[in-house]
Amino acid sequence: MNTTQTLQQMQQLRLPGMYQAYRSQLELSMDQQLDGHELIAHLLQSEEQNRSNEKTALCLKLAKLRLPVTIEQVECSQARNITKQQLAMLAEGRYLLQGENILITGATGCGKSHLACALGHQACLHGYKTIYLNMNRLAEKITLARLDGSYIKLLNQLERQSLIILDDFGLAPMTQDMRLTLLQLLEDRYGKKSVIVTSQLPVAKWHEYLNDPTLADATLDRLTANAHRVELKGESLRRKKEKANQ
Ligand SMILES: Nc1ncnc2c1ncn2[C@@H]1O[C@H](COP(=O)(O)OP(=O)(O)OP(=O)(O)O)[C@@H](O)[C@H]1O
């Protein structure tokens, strides 16, 4: 049996998971090596696992999450106004299947971006295409896309994402172009794909912030209907972290 040739064929056929698993098998003594049906099953499982890992890694890379955090790193407590059950329910990801949104509000430093990024990380683990966008960054992207004629391309690119994280909603005044784009984006996704919004402003103030009653009605209708709300509370974790580092 020419095992070297078999390994080469696995590489040529781009089966890296299978290649690694087979190499590992060949390094074992004969009596420890799997054979027949077991070996085939093991090699296929290794290839499948490798592809799944690569898909997750690519999803995470493209998501450009601001903070590299996992769901296990989200602290739940009564003081923070988020329970383990609430987090577990969101982490399960059913909201993504149903195209529901998550609105995370709270004072500066209370961990809104941290939670949003952890949920984004979890969505990538589930295989959902995710993109993180700070609202300022989205505004820049829209302005550039209008200038270079790629606006429709940008909307299509955003529509393809299963989850969009819009961080820091309500910090900077919105242009009319941004309001219209936001409405279009939400209209494209309504009931199909999810958005996570973080904001220092309580949801009750979003209408006033949008500063255009008709557009605000339409936008908030799409954003808040069937949305899960997390109102984080407690001391600024940024300040707490700084104090701990002093
Ligand atoms: N659950 C947590 N455990 C540990 N550190 C946390 C947690 N949540 C947030 N942090 C840390 O606290 C700091 C502030 O968090 P974050 O940026 O998420 O706050 P924010 O509410 O989004 O603030 P802002 O409104 O100013 O953007 C970050 O350095 C973050 O890593």
Side-chain angles (χ1 to χ4, degrees), residues 160-226:
R160 282 196 295 274
Q161 306 295 323
S162 300
L163 172 64
I164 299 181
I165 298 174
L166 296 177
D167 202 5
D168 284 334
F169 176 82
L171 266 192
M174 247 192 208
T175 61
Q176 187 67 355
D177 198 17
M178 182 73 176
R179 284 186 203 103
L180 288 167
T181 303
L182 182 63
L183 178 57
Q184 186 60 55
L185 197 143
L186 295 171
E187 170 65 16
D188 290 345
R189 310 181 69 75
Y190 185 67
K192 291 181 284 186
K193 293 179 176 180
S194 305
V195 181
I196 295 180
V197 179
T198 81
S199 179
Q200 284 185 37
L201 285 182
V203 176
K205 296 228 165 131
W206 289 7
H207 197 279
E208 187 186 339
Y209 163 72
L210 284 165
N211 199 24
D212 179 318
T214 314
L215 280 183
D217 281 347
T219 303
L220 294 182
D221 212 32
R222 286 159 180 80
L223 196 54
T224 59
N226 299 324

Side-chain angles (χ1 to χ4, degrees), residues 42-210:
H42 173 66
L43 295 183
L44 285 172
Q45 276 160 14
S46 303
E47 183 56 34
E48 192 179 38
Q49 184 63 52
N50 188 266
R51 287 185 190 193
S52 161
N53 292 346
E54 282 187 353
K55 190 179 167 200
T56 303
L58 181 66
C59 195
L60 280 169
K61 187 175 163 206
L62 296 176
K64 298 196 170 94
L65 299 170
R66 181 163 75 82
L67 300 166
V69 284
T70 64
I71 214 78
E72 292 76 25
Q73 290 168 282
V74 177
E75 190 192 304
C76 297
S77 67
Q78 218 174 1
R80 298 199 69 219
N81 201 29
I82 179 165
T83 62
K84 277 192 181 164
Q85 288 82 349
Q86 195 179 7
L87 182 67
M89 187 269 288
L90 295 176
E92 204 179 279
R94 206 164 323 147
Y95 74 97
L96 289 157
L97 278 177
Q98 289 158 357
E100 293 167 354
N101 301 328
I102 303 179
L103 314 178
I104 306 171
T105 52
T108 183
C110 70
K112 301 180 294 296
S113 308
H114 191 275
L115 174 60
C117 288
L119 289 170
H121 183 272
Q122 191 70 7
C124 289
L125 295 188
H126 287 306
Y128 290 99
K129 272 190 179 178
T130 299
I131 185 110
Y132 168 94
L133 290 165
N134 177 286
M135 285 302 281
N136 290 337
R137 182 90 184 86
L138 178 61
E140 276 167 26
K141 267 182 178 276
I142 292 166
T143 308
L144 277 176
R146 288 280 193 205
L147 287 173
D148 70 11
S150 63
Y151 180 71
I152 298 296
K153 199 173 147 199
L154 174 66
L155 285 184
N156 290 339
Q157 188 206 345
L158 292 174
E159 197 185 348
R160 282 196 295 274
Q161 306 295 323
S162 300
L163 172 64
I164 299 181
I165 298 174
L166 296 177
D167 202 5
D168 284 334
F169 176 82
L171 266 192
M174 247 192 208
T175 61
Q176 187 67 355
D177 198 17
M178 182 73 176
R179 284 186 203 103
L180 288 167
T181 303
L182 182 63
L183 178 57
Q184 186 60 55
L185 197 143
L186 295 171
E187 170 65 16
D188 290 345
R189 310 181 69 75
Y190 185 67
K192 291 181 284 186
K193 293 179 176 180
S194 305
V195 181
I196 295 180
V197 179
T198 81
S199 179
Q200 284 185 37
L201 285 182
V203 176
K205 296 228 165 131
W206 289 7
H207 197 279
E208 187 186 339
Y209 163 72
L210 284 165

